[in-house]
Amino acid sequence: MNLFDVYPINPINIVRGIGSLVYDDKGTEYLDLYGGHAVISIGHTHPHYVKRLEDQLHQIGFYSNSIEIPLQKQLAEKLGQVSGKEDYQLFLCNSGAEANENALKLASFYNGKKKVIAFKNAFHGRTSLAVAVTDNPKIVAPVNETDNVIFLPWADEAALEQAFTANEISSVIIEGIQGVGGIQVAPIQFLQKIRTLCDKYNAVFIADSVQCGYGRTGKFFSHDFAGINADIYSMAKGMGNGFPVGGIIISPKIKPWYGELGTTFGGNHLACAAALAVLETIEQDNLMQNAAEVGGYLIEELKKFDKVKEVRGRGLMIGIDLPAELPNVKKDLLFKYQIFTGEAKPNVVRLLPALNLTKAYADRFLEAFDTTLKNS
């Protein structure tokens, strides 16, 4: 049997990792500034994380949500403390797409409405509803097509108001910083406008924090920069530092009923142990502050490069917008300087490293980036 060939693969076999470094099967060292799509939040094989999972594995790895799982309550309590959303409710699942799927469904249950507002260049996942609110027709199968989604221009307040006036809106879903869309930061005033209109029309504000949340920007949720609270926050990626964990936290105004949502694997013992290890490390090691400081340093240094069109982002979620005549920078960084980065179309290099990235590793990247630009 062959693998279903849907991923373009770099010919590199990573077999070991520690902190911000990974190593291939030949012993070559790489600096990881991408973390597997923003997943590695506290570094590869963090000792506390490894011990938490190992200890749990020696007890029990899984049982269903038909019994008490105290780890889930511990996770909810710790997540409330670290995020500052202590009065919210937690529903656990397994991935970002699943989190957004449940958020959109829950919003529609709450107000009985169908229409969803999403935005140009949005990416919210590949499952049925999540892909329907993703602005990429190529990955929307015919069975996923729906007329219940309204795509609006990014940060267009007039278009937003008009959409609310003309439609019965169930929810608005927005990334605080678009990831796949090229590290586009949602303007503070625009997020505040969404909050105001959702309140006025009894719509649900869904803050997609799958990539831009969990402390990556220096605040726990990137939407927090706007000084507002969303009704539902979706999470995954950095939540488990590599273990598949996803979830939504839900405003107290939304009341649950038995059977409204459900999952087999969500909130299992190992997933909760991984997620607790991440939150404990973020808290104990002041990783949000580190993300703000090292990320801020990187952003300011990157702005000094003449060949860079624009630098966007917050904290350790950074997009480096390059001109079309420099198409090979990401590839050169990987194969000439052994540095993993990401990309977004048309020509944006994405940096999504672990939140404990050091300034020394930031300088190592900046030096390689400088040489790459000079030789391009």
Side-chain angles (χ1 to χ4, degrees):
M1 182 185 293
N2 293 320
L3 295 173
F4 196 54
D5 191 12
V6 292
Y7 298 115
I9 301 294
N10 288 310
I12 300 169
N13 178 17
I14 297 298
V15 297
R16 184 168 64 91
I18 181 167
S20 292
L21 300 175
V22 293
Y23 299 84
D24 68 16
D25 54 352
K26 300 175 183 64
T28 304
E29 179 183 280
Y30 296 79
L31 176 60
D32 185 8
L33 296 189
Y34 196 52
H37 307 299
V39 166
I40 302 301
S41 51
I42 60 170
H44 295 277
T45 61
H46 190 287
H48 179 58
Y49 175 82
V50 171
K51 187 174 189 307
R52 261 286 200 176
L53 277 168
E54 187 178 67
D55 288 350
Q56 186 60 48
L57 194 56
H58 285 297
Q59 297 174 51
I60 186 170
F62 176 83
Y63 205 79
S64 78
N65 284 298
S66 63
I67 49 92
E68 289 186 2
I69 302 178
L71 282 170
Q72 292 182 351
K73 294 180 179 179
Q74 294 172 31
L75 175 56
E77 182 179 358
K78 178 59 70 175
L79 179 55
Q81 292 169 357
V82 179
S83 69
K85 315 290 184 195
E86 295 190 72
D87 59 342
Y88 279 58
Q89 308 153 92
L90 173 64
F91 175 78
L92 290 162
C93 53
N94 310 283
S95 70
E98 192 180 339
N100 284 328
E101 196 86 14
N102 281 291
L104 292 159
K105 183 178 180 181
L106 188 61
S108 187
F109 273 134
Y110 169 73
N111 54 29
K113 302 174 186 178
K114 297 180 180 179
K115 298 290 185 181
V116 178
I117 291 174
F119 297 94
K120 181 175 173 57
N121 293 326
F123 187 93
H124 299 291
R126 292 176 179 270
T127 55
S128 185
L129 266 175
V131 82
V133 294
T134 290
D135 185 26
N136 183 354
K138 184 177 180 180
I139 64 171
V140 180
V143 72
N144 303 132
E145 293 173 358
T146 174
D147 60 2
N148 287 326
V149 179
I150 303 164
F151 284 102
L152 298 181
W154 182 248
D156 187 329
E157 291 190 29
L160 182 68
E161 290 210 40
Q162 196 278 331
F164 267 98
T165 302
N167 301 276
E168 287 284 312
I169 301 299
S170 172
S171 59
V172 179
I173 184 166
I174 185 169
E175 300 155 270
I177 303 175
Q178 288 186 333
V180 176
I183 314 296
Q184 301 290 345
V185 180
I188 286 173
Q189 186 175 332
F190 190 62
L191 293 174
Q192 292 170 341
K193 188 68 170 182
I194 293 171
R195 178 69 277 170
T196 298
L197 290 170
C198 283
D199 288 340
K200 180 178 179 180
Y201 290 96
N202 192 33
V204 174
F205 186 157
I206 301 172
D208 183 338
S209 302
V210 170
Q211 187 174 131
C212 61
Y214 247 75
R216 177 157 294 284
T217 59
K219 292 185 180 291
F220 196 82
F221 296 114
S222 63
H223 302 74
D224 290 344
F225 283 93
I228 49 92
N229 285 315
D231 299 308
I232 302 175
Y233 295 83
S234 59
M235 305 164 290
K237 293 198 184 294
M239 190 174 184
N241 198 51
F243 197 99
V245 189
I248 53 176
I249 61 169
I250 305 148
S251 164
K253 76 179 185 183
I254 300 176
K255 308 300 181 185
W257 43 267
Y258 288 157
E260 185 176 19
L261 303 177
T263 174
T264 297
F265 295 107
N268 67 74
H269 296 76
L270 284 173
C272 288
L276 277 162
V278 168
L279 287 172
E280 289 159 358
T281 303
I282 286 174
E283 187 175 45
Q284 291 166 11
D285 294 351
N286 296 315
L287 294 191
M288 286 191 281
Q289 180 180 342
N290 187 73
E293 291 176 357
V294 178
Y297 168 72
L298 267 170
I299 289 170
E300 290 308 309
E301 291 301 308
L302 286 164
K303 287 179 179 178
K304 297 175 182 177
F305 288 93
D306 293 337
K307 291 184 179 180
V308 171
K309 289 170 59 179
E310 187 179 14
V311 181
R312 298 186 293 268
R314 286 194 172 108
L316 288 174
M317 185 170 185
I318 301 170
I320 309 165
D321 202 340
L322 296 171
E325 58 267 24
L326 296 175
N328 296 317
V329 171
K330 175 181 175 290
K331 182 179 178 181
D332 288 345
L333 285 168
L334 179 57
F335 290 105
K336 294 181 180 179
Y337 300 97
Q338 291 72 53
I339 298 176
F340 277 102
T341 61
E343 65 180 345
K345 305 302 183 187
N347 196 22
V348 178
V349 173
R350 282 197 287 166
L351 304 183
L352 298 161
L355 307 188
N356 50 11
L357 183 76
T358 64
K359 185 173 178 289
Y361 284 142
D363 285 334
R364 177 170 159 181
F365 163 74
L366 289 167
E367 183 178 343
F369 185 71
D370 182 32
T371 306
T372 300
L373 292 189
K374 287 176 179 175
N375 295 336
S376 297

